[in-house]
Each structure stands twice: as C-alpha cells, then as structure tokens.
Amino acid sequence: MSKLIVGNWKMNGLLADSRERAEKLAAAVKSGVSSFHMVICPPATMINAVAWFSKDSALKLGGQDCHDQPPGAFTGDIAPEMLKDLGCTYVILGHSERRQFHTETSAQVASKAKRAHGAGLIAIICVGELDSERSAGKQESVVGQQLKESIPEGATPENTVIAYEPVWAIGTGKVASADDIKNMHAFIRGKVGKLQILYGGSVKAANAKEILHTANVDGVLVGGASLKVEEFLAIAQAS
C-alpha cells in the first residue's frame, strides 16, 4: 500500500510563498508516485490558490478543520461542503492544538467527522497523549478513549484515517522512539482494524525512513517540515 504523506501548514502561508511551495510540490508529483500519496493542508485562506497552482498534479488538498453543522450562522467557521467545493479531499480533525487551545472534545471531533463524511471528505482524526500521561503510563488508556469517542459510526477505510501524534512530540523537536511508535501503532491497529494510521510529531527527513518503515505506520502527518519543499519531498521519498 502506498504511504500517505500529509503536510499540515498550520497558520502559515501568504499568497507568494504558498504559490511557490505549491508549484514546486506539484512539479515534483505531477504524474503521481507509486510509493506515496501526498496531501497538503494549507490555511483556509490559501486553499483556493493552492488548488489552482497545483491543479495539473497528483497533489491532494485538505482542510485543517471544519464545523459540525450545516452551512449557516456560524461566523468564522467553515462547513465541510465549503472545503469540498474548493477541491479538498481530506480534513484534519481533533489535532492536539485544537483540543488544547480550542477545548475541543472527542465528541465534537466525532460530530465533525460525521459531517465531513456526509460532505464526501476523508477525515484524518488525530489522537495522542500528553507528556504527563505517558509518564504516568496512561498513554494507551488515553488514546484508547480518544479513539472510542472520536471515531463516528460509519467510519470505514475509505473515509477515515487515524493520526497518532504524541502531544509532547509536536513542535518540540522530541520524537517518539521506534519502540514507542511501534507499540502505540500496534495498540491502535487493534482498535481500528484496517483504517490507515499515520504518525505525527517532529517528523523530519532525518527520521522519516525509520518511522515510515515501522510496522503499522501507513504514513506521516508533518507539521513544520512540510513548509520546506525539499525537506517535505525527502520525507515522502523516504517511503
């Protein structure tokens, strides 16, 4: 199975640098690559432009979040239908930064995922434990509960991807050990069956090969390194 390489640009990108990044990535995967599928998730303000600059390539697009209600009076929010209309195939849901800074609950994540499915999007549902929870040996109970509460009824390998992101390894430079990743992905596999499972958390070109060739790792969700074209491509090529 081809690895899924997802770049989360987070709150980064103006028109000029987004265009340059998108055009370079599009040129690199113009006709598709057998070993990986690449998805980029720019800020909502850049989705339309990125879609235009990458339209003749094999790049897929995703949103970084969506609302769990039909279009209506929700100022500042984005309905999944809007993402779909802009050319998105995927949407990231339940990222630790959303859970932490926007107090999103797993129940809300499940509701968003259900709405995303209804709009024809593939939901990338993020789960992961805090440093304190891992130190207390609670990582499996925490992640297991998040999976139970975040995955909606009707989730299938065609509409849902799981991303394991240990919170203590996001943007910190810390990376889970090979054993940490192997053990947690094996645990998640036991819970989600055939759903694809991505690893995220300070993924770089230097560690991508080891991570991508770990059992039950079906791809990676990349943050900061996805803003550097050469680095992001090197991560993908490590598959």
Side-chain angles (χ1 to χ4, degrees):
M1 178 187 294
S2 298
K3 300 290 187 180
L4 183 61
I5 311 298
V6 183
N8 177 14
W9 290 5
K10 303 191 179 186
M11 197 171 71
N12 295 287
L14 299 179
L15 185 59
D17 60 301
S18 294
R19 173 178 183 169
E20 181 180 7
R21 197 178 299 126
E23 288 181 333
K24 287 182 178 179
L25 290 172
V29 294
K30 188 172 183 65
S31 302
V33 183
S34 61
S35 62
F36 65 84
H37 298 297
M38 181 175 284
V39 181
I40 50 176
C41 301
T45 56
M46 288 294 106
I47 292 174
N48 195 44
V50 170
W52 174 260
F53 297 133
S54 62
K55 63 182 180 178
D56 295 322
S57 74
L59 276 177
K60 301 293 184 182
L61 286 177
Q64 296 180 14
D65 186 44
C66 71
H67 205 284
D68 67 346
Q69 296 296 316
F74 300 98
T75 301
D77 284 308
I78 300 173
E81 291 87 352
M82 295 173 177
L83 296 176
K84 183 72 173 179
D85 187 51
L86 288 174
C88 289
T89 306
Y90 293 82
V91 61
I92 299 170
L93 298 173
H95 191 281
S96 66
E97 292 162 356
R98 299 291 309 179
R99 292 180 186 261
Q100 180 179 356
F101 302 124
H102 295 266
T103 62
E104 288 189 4
T105 66
S106 291
Q108 288 175 309
V109 174
S111 183
K112 289 182 176 187
K114 184 175 181 178
R115 285 279 300 119
H117 292 163
L121 295 174
I122 299 169
I124 301 174
I125 298 176
C126 301
V127 297
E129 79 282 1
L130 300 171
D131 196 14
S132 59
E133 292 166 336
R134 174 165 282 273
S135 296
K138 297 180 179 179
Q139 63 269 22
E140 288 190 357
S141 62
V142 169
V143 171
Q145 192 68 22
Q146 288 176 340
L147 290 168
K148 180 180 179 180
E149 296 178 358
S150 300
I151 301 175
E153 185 177 350
T156 69
E158 288 70 43
N159 65 21
T160 304
V161 174
I162 302 301
Y164 168 60
E165 292 195 307
V167 180
W168 46 271
I170 298 175
T172 64
K174 296 180 180 179
V175 183
S177 70
D179 282 343
D180 289 337
I181 298 172
K182 181 180 71 174
N183 293 338
M184 183 57 79
H185 276 245
F187 170 78
I188 294 173
R189 177 68 67 207
K191 300 290 185 182
V192 305
K194 295 182 179 180
L195 300 187
Q196 284 184 294
I197 308 170
L198 313 182
Y199 173 76
S202 297
V203 178
K204 299 178 175 64
N207 58 33
K209 185 173 182 179
E210 180 179 33
I211 292 171
L212 284 164
H213 289 83
T214 299
N216 292 307
V217 174
D218 300 314
V220 287
L221 177 55
V222 185
S226 69
L227 298 171
K228 304 170 185 175
V229 172
E230 292 76 14
E231 179 93 0
F232 191 45
L233 287 172
I235 290 170
Q237 290 159 358
S239 62

